[in-house]
Amino acid sequence: MIMAQVDIDTGAKLPSHTHPGVEMGYVLSGMLTLSVKGQADRTLGPGESYLVPANTPHSAVSGGPNPFKGAVSYIV
């Protein structure tokens, strides 16, 4: 497993991508709209978490007045 802190500037967009293992994340601050193939888009705020299945295309946009900061783990 790899654990990382992810920082995304407000308004920044992460293009669609995949990971070979499950991605799990927890929002520390800011807002994130997460798009995962096969799921409804979700807007997440501090204290919320998400899970992206392995090999599933997903993208995200940081929104709100503050940059997004999250704790993320990747199963490798």
Side-chain angles (χ1 to χ4, degrees), residues 12-65:
K13 298 177 183 180
L14 298 178
S16 183
H17 62 284
T18 63
H19 303 282
V22 173
E23 173 183 341
M24 295 166 280
Y26 180 81
V27 181
L28 298 168
S29 61
M31 302 289 287
L32 187 74
T33 299
L34 180 66
S35 299
V36 179
K37 185 175 182 177
Q39 300 179 16
D41 289 358
R42 294 178 58 199
T43 299
L44 304 161
E48 294 185 284
S49 61
Y50 64 89
L51 183 138
V52 179
N55 301 307
T56 303
H58 58 287
S59 60
V61 178
S62 176

